[in-house]
Amino acid sequence: MADLATVEQLNGIASVLRGDVVRMIGVGKAGHLGGSCSLAEIVACLYFRKLRFDPADMRNRDRDRFLLSKGHAVLIQYAALIELGVIPREEMTKVKTLAGMLQGHPDIAYTPGIEAVTGSLGQGLSIGLGMALSFRMDRRPSRVFVVMGDGELSEGQLWEAAMAASRYKLDNLVGIVDRNRIQATGPTKDIFDIPEIETKWKAFGWNVLTIDGHDVKAILGALDMAETMKGKPTVIVADTVKGKG
């Protein structure tokens, strides 16, 4: 786990991460700026405050796992790993090139600190479910955090995983929905509207928390509450602004 950062420091880190995302995309290069920047505070709180994750011992079997199911937004995860010293800073200029280790979606074969190949939307929660179940069977303290997009909730596999997680009472699994209300080509309400997100997760047996996804205190509070919840998984529905900052 990184040294604990204060709320003020975490807000500053979020700004640094956004700056890194802009630098990685650069001029004339395609990249998911909006969906990366909407996650800046959440990623800052996880990597610099909450995760059991030591950059000097990344293969520790008891570490927490962070899975970015919306893998197209991986630039924000790269930014955190760069600031933690896991990824060399010079890699920022080689994003999405054959010469670099940072591709457009997470790749465990090339990039240190990545726990799973993601980006085929809807699959991340299933991977996290399997990890969380195995950790409980092995009696390990590891927790699993899975970040999903709100547009991604249209994927059926995600809801199958949600049912299974509730069935097996996986309280070491935390889902985070980045509700920025915009998906690939426009507003989610116009493309594939999924109303009453909180009600749906509750119906699937999850503990549900709704927060401002840019409020560091609210994020930390929700993560603390998720850690105390026993007997069911928790999902944090985070209201965010796409392209924030």
Side-chain angles (χ1 to χ4, degrees):
M1 180 185 294
D3 292 338
L4 293 181
T6 66
V7 169
E8 183 178 358
Q9 288 171 330
L10 288 169
N11 279 314
I13 290 168
S15 295
V16 170
L17 299 185
R18 286 194 175 94
D20 287 346
V21 168
V22 174
R23 292 184 189 94
M24 279 185 270
I25 293 178
V27 177
K29 185 185 293 185
H32 290 274
L33 177 67
S36 295
C37 288
S38 61
L39 283 173
E41 283 83 8
I42 291 168
V43 169
C45 288
L46 286 170
Y47 272 110
F48 294 87
R49 180 74 174 260
K50 292 301 297 182
L51 287 183
R52 183 187 289 107
F53 175 80
D54 183 355
D57 186 19
M58 291 192 298
R59 304 315 299 170
N60 187 321
R61 295 183 67 188
D62 289 338
R63 71 189 183 280
D64 290 339
R65 270 55 166 193
F66 173 75
L67 303 179
L68 191 59
S69 188
K70 49 175 283 183
H72 54 277
V74 72
L75 295 178
I76 194 68
Q77 186 177 14
Y78 292 159
L81 293 171
I82 287 168
E83 295 303 326
L84 287 168
V86 173
I87 294 172
R89 189 166 293 276
E90 55 267 26
E91 288 293 324
M92 290 178 65
T93 62
K94 297 183 284 186
V95 168
K96 299 176 75 173
T97 67
L98 294 177
M101 65 169 61
L102 307 180
Q103 297 306 309
H105 286 78
D107 190 335
I108 57 176
Y110 292 98
T111 311
I114 299 297
E115 301 287 0
V117 175
T118 59
S120 293
L121 294 177
Q123 296 183 0
L125 191 61
S126 294
I127 299 170
L129 160 71
M131 288 180 172
L133 188 56
S134 70
F135 297 149
R136 190 175 69 184
M137 293 173 68
D138 291 342
R139 298 184 180 180
R140 295 194 174 280
S142 304
R143 297 173 62 77
V144 183
F145 299 85
V146 181
V147 172
M148 301 159 276
D150 52 350
E152 182 179 1
L153 300 185
S154 62
E155 299 285 353
Q157 179 176 338
L158 184 150
W159 294 105
E160 292 181 37
M163 283 188 286
S166 174
R167 163 66 179 81
Y168 293 109
K169 301 180 178 8
L170 295 179
D171 49 28
N172 59 343
L173 176 64
V174 178
I176 301 172
V177 177
D178 180 17
R179 185 162 62 181
N180 59 38
R181 303 181 189 275
I182 299 175
Q183 56 189 104
T185 57
T188 53
K189 66 180 178 61
D190 296 335
I191 298 170
F192 200 111
D193 191 21
I194 306 175
E196 304 293 340
I197 287 176
E198 289 92 342
T199 303
K200 287 179 171 62
W201 282 98
K202 287 178 183 176
F204 276 72
W206 286 57
N207 174 45
V208 181
L209 305 170
T210 303
I211 62 169
D212 176 346
H214 300 303
D215 183 334
V216 166
K217 288 184 179 179
I219 297 167
L220 294 176
L223 292 171
D224 287 343
M225 291 178 67
E227 196 166 357
T228 63
M229 172 56 59
K230 302 302 178 185
K232 62 171 60 178
T234 292
V235 63
I236 300 169
V237 180
D239 286 312
T240 62
V241 176
K242 194 154 192 172
K244 172 76 171 179

